[in-house]
Amino acid sequence: MDIGILLPTGNAQWNASDDPRELIDFARRAERSGFSSLFVNDSLISPRIEALTMLAALAPVTDAVTLGTAALLPFLRRPIQTAQSLASLDLLSGGRLVVTVGAGFPGRFGRPFYTLSEVPWQRRFDRLDETVSLWRNLWAGARSFQGEILRYADIPPATRPYRPGGPPVWLGGATPAALARTGRMYDGWLPYPPHPGDYAAGLLDLRKAAADAGRAPEDVTAALFVTVRVDEDAEHGRRALDAYARANYGLPLEELEQIQAVVTGSAAQVREGLARYVAAGARHLVCRPAAVGMRALGNQMERIADLIPLLQAP
């Protein structure tokens, strides 16, 4: 059972007096506190520390934690350049990189990303899968790639990652199509369904797709992205979460919790809420602390860390 934390790399999560360089100390404290992974997210339409830049800064100052993206949006970057960046990160971290990828949010939330990137919105899922296939081929030494969308001939020798085959690549998303694609070709699954029952049902479908593709269930890591707030009780927690949701998404909590996994309340209530997802099959939790300001975020990180032994207990 792995418990990880999402680093607060976005401006919306900082106070005006916060120094972004405090993220380095935040990451070190998280590792010392018992978290087994540090994740960062990706965006082009909200100010933040760029995801791969953040992970490159963390590689030399951490020792054993997994470094991951939740989720990287590959269409924001040139595919071959990104393959080299990821291989370099895997090398610098000694094989500690995990790459969760996604095609962006649907509709009005995702289209601006594609416009800024000058990448077509159409066939975005095919493009994502081909990009991952291209990376894996380059990491294995391929000098050309011929897909339906991406085609390259005479590719120069690419940087090889630390691990043969490259870092594990997970997929975010829980639509039936995403579950089938995860089962067929991805190394892990990192969704954020609002109900544990949805998670359990999705995991069943994913494992069936994996079996149909000749893969074993353990070939796909079952992870979960969840927003967490440890507070005095559920009422206080929900008020704080509402402020957090409005600051980060411009949405009230009532709307956010319809589309994302959210757990709040006392320490006992949060442990119970997370344990429901563990019972549904999650084996790697990526917890996003719901607070604004580095001091408050550090406090939430420590309160979540206190729950790690309880969640990992048989």
Side-chain angles (χ1 to χ4, degrees), residues 30-113:
E31 183 172 31
R32 291 195 301 267
S33 297
F35 288 98
S36 57
S37 60
L38 304 172
F39 278 76
V40 297
N41 57 16
D42 196 18
S43 179
L44 197 61
I45 58 174
S46 59
R48 67 185 58 245
I49 302 298
E50 192 272 330
L52 302 186
T53 304
M54 187 75 248
L55 294 183
L58 295 180
V61 300
T62 56
D63 296 316
V65 285
T66 294
L67 303 176
T69 59
L72 190 74
L73 304 175
F75 65 87
L76 300 182
R77 301 164 178 85
R78 297 292 185 185
I80 292 179
Q81 179 187 18
T82 307
Q84 176 151 317
S85 296
L86 294 173
S88 300
L89 274 170
D90 199 49
L91 280 170
L92 292 172
S93 65
R96 291 186 284 131
L97 182 65
V98 166
V99 186
T100 306
V101 297
F105 289 107
R108 64 185 178 90
F109 292 105
R111 279 184 179 270
F113 288 79

Side-chain angles (χ1 to χ4, degrees), residues 119-157:
V119 173
W121 174 256
Q122 293 74 21
R123 299 193 68 188
R124 57 194 182 278
F125 302 113
D126 293 332
R127 179 181 295 275
L128 176 64
D129 292 346
E130 277 200 13
T131 299
V132 172
S133 293
L134 168 66
W135 293 347
R136 287 171 169 163
N137 277 269
L138 292 177
W139 294 335
R143 302 293 298 275
S144 64
F145 182 84
Q146 298 297 317
E148 293 184 10
I149 299 172
L150 303 176
R151 297 172 181 270
Y152 299 95
D154 300 321
I155 301 173

